[in-house]
Amino acid sequence: MSGVYDTAIVGGGFVGGAIAVALADAGLAVLVIDRDAPGTQAAPGFDGRSSAIAAAPRRLLDRLGIWRGVAADACPIEDIRVADGGSPLFLHYGREEVGAPALGFMVENRHLRMAVGARLRETGGIDLMAPAALTGIDTDDTGAALSFENRPTVRARLVIGADGRGSFVREAAGIGLTRRRYGQTGIVCTVAHEHPHHNVAHEHFFPAGPFAILPLTRNRVSIVWTERTAVAGQILALDGGPFLEELAERLGDFLGELEVVGPRWSYPLALQYAGTIAGPRMALAGDAAQAMHPIAGQGLNLGLRDAAALAETIVDARRLGLDIGAAATLARYERWRRFDSHLMLALTDGLNRLFSNDLPGVRGARDAGLALVHRAGPLKTYFMRHAMGEMGDLPRLLKGEAL
């Protein structure tokens, strides 16, 4: 294990792992620090959780050699249907409208974890530290010193926080956090069903919150069910049969017989964002930088866009002989990501507020809006391209290009 690294990445999950592989492939010395021993776990069992991967982030994963580990288990999303409760008006997105093989993909988290772990283990230039209790981060003009329980101090020119909503790196840097709770809980589970889903994703808006039906392989769908927190607690307390009845009432009968497979998960929903995502010797990415409502399934995609922009910023600076951890260097990353991340936060927050009510006047206006977008070709195409992650100033990895 090296004494001084170019970058120390705290958090070896999907976003942190992608950054580590990208930087190591470009010749940087990388340390990944994670309490869950990144890249060293035994093959995880099915736990019911899955993630949506948009078209552009999929190209990033492909370029980094991660996608090959999940390709056989990824289910393409070929169509998306959005409806407001039981309204006959709807919005439909189809892959043929943008000439793409798929609008995105659904991947079980366990397969993605294994693929990221495999790349972390096989990529030269990456050291993995786990389990390790990180106790402090001190910075100076030349780098950062990371302190641990019962381990020697490690130095790095730059520390990257990809350690989730409760980021230790963010707190150690003294970066403020804006947070707003929605009073909603997300319920997540996987359902096996009788009839084929035809690779169609559905999003139904109910007064309590959105209800997403997302296609998986082998006649299964991933359910992301938003409920008011008090009601969600009652639903989660139900036994298997009554829980399935509540689920079927919202899901409908188009998939035939249903069976919940794997455990149920729940988490409180909130919007949050850091006061800054870059400073001297530190940068934030993924949920450590911002976290949003799951209404559009864009959380991981936004984190992977962070990963692509941060990796490109660091590698370009290194090639120019600049200090990769200097505030002036990382200011480019801050400028690059702020508009995109804040726009997505505002969109998901606004959509949730618009649709999570049953006011007659509001409902009529939003239903008319769905129908209007459905018929408006250029506007519809713009929204589709944006959801696919293909709008704006894209980093090279999101285009499928090498760093």
Side-chain angles (χ1 to χ4, degrees):
M1 186 171 289
S2 171
V4 179
Y5 295 88
D6 293 310
T7 58
I9 302 173
V10 183
F14 305 151
V15 173
I19 297 171
V21 173
L23 295 180
D25 279 349
L28 280 75
V30 179
L31 173 66
V32 176
I33 304 162
D34 194 291
R35 293 181 185 273
D36 294 326
T40 64
Q41 308 98 324
F46 175 66
D47 67 6
R49 292 181 292 182
S50 302
S51 294
I53 307 293
R58 190 210 65 82
R59 288 195 289 269
L60 172 146
L61 296 176
D62 190 35
R63 169 57 65 175
L64 297 180
I66 294 171
W67 188 253
R68 64 174 180 254
V70 300
D73 299 290
C75 182
I77 300 174
E78 298 180 359
D79 296 86
I80 300 174
R81 186 182 178 100
V82 181
D84 188 8
S87 171
L89 301 176
F90 64 90
L91 173 60
H92 174 264
Y93 295 134
R95 63 181 176 84
E96 69 282 351
E97 297 177 77
V98 288
L103 300 175
F105 296 83
M106 286 298 300
V107 180
E108 292 176 30
N109 283 9
R110 61 168 174 162
H111 295 309
L112 195 51
R113 281 197 298 273
M114 291 172 64
V116 170
R119 288 294 290 132
L120 288 173
R121 290 193 302 272
E122 69 190 24
T123 302
I126 297 177
D127 283 340
L128 306 174
M129 179 183 286
L134 180 61
T135 59
I137 304 173
D138 296 306
T139 61
D140 56 34
D141 291 341
T142 61
L146 298 93
S147 304
F148 305 89
E149 290 181 4
N150 304 318
R151 287 182 183 270
T153 296
V154 173
R155 286 194 63 83
R157 293 177 177 83
L158 170 65
V159 177
I160 297 172
D163 48 344
R165 292 180 179 232
S167 172
F168 179 89
V169 174
R170 188 182 62 230
E171 292 183 5
I175 296 173
L177 183 70
T178 299
R179 192 166 194 263
R180 183 165 64 244
R181 299 180 186 275
Y182 286 114
Q184 297 171 317
T185 293
I187 302 171
V188 178
C189 63
T190 294
V191 173
H193 48 85
E194 178 185 7
H195 304 317
H197 51 53
H198 301 296
N199 298 340
V200 179
H202 300 261
E203 182 123 41
H204 297 288
F205 293 113
F206 296 109
F211 183 93
I213 308 163
L214 307 168
L216 297 173
T217 56
R218 301 188 302 279
N219 261 29
R220 299 170 304 151
V221 291
S222 176
I223 300 296
V224 182
W225 176 0
T226 301
E227 271 290 352
R228 295 185 181 92
T229 296
V231 176
Q234 298 171 13
I235 292 172
L236 289 163
L238 295 174
D239 293 333
F243 176 82
L244 187 59
E245 290 176 6
E246 289 286 340
L247 178 65
E249 183 178 336
R250 291 159 177 80
L251 197 152
D253 60 3
F254 73 101
L255 294 175
E257 294 294 322
L258 307 174
E259 178 189 1
V260 177
V261 292
R264 314 170 205 164
W265 296 86
S266 67
Y267 53 97
L269 301 182
L271 175 151
Q272 68 176 50
Y273 55 92
T276 182
I277 61 170
R281 307 296 162 194
M282 291 191 191
L284 303 176
D287 283 355
Q290 69 277 311
M292 67 187 68
H293 197 284
I295 190 168
Q298 290 293 321
L300 177 56
N301 293 304
L302 194 64
L304 292 175
R305 295 206 292 271
D306 289 346
L310 181 55
E312 185 168 321
T313 298
I314 294 169
V315 169
D316 284 355
R318 171 73 171 264
R319 288 171 178 159
L320 291 171
L322 302 176
D323 182 351
I324 65 171
T329 298
L330 298 173
R332 179 195 176 201
Y333 169 61
E334 172 95 38
R335 291 191 302 269
W336 201 349
R337 293 301 305 138
R338 266 311 188 188
F339 177 77
D340 180 41
S341 61
H342 279 231
L343 175 62
M344 189 58 69
L345 288 170
L347 285 173
T348 54
D349 181 66
L351 283 172
N352 184 57
R353 292 177 181 276
L354 175 64
F355 284 95
S356 294
N357 66 75
D358 203 25
L359 299 174
V362 174
R363 181 165 190 167
R366 70 196 184 207
D367 287 354
L370 286 177
L372 176 63
V373 174
H374 179 68
R375 294 191 298 268
L379 181 60
K380 185 179 179 181
T381 300
Y382 172 83
F383 285 146
M384 292 173 68
R385 290 290 186 190
H386 192 274
M388 294 168 71
E390 297 184 337
M391 302 299 292
D393 182 13
L394 294 186
R396 293 190 290 271
L397 286 172
L398 292 180
K399 300 175 186 177
E401 301 172 0
L403 280 180

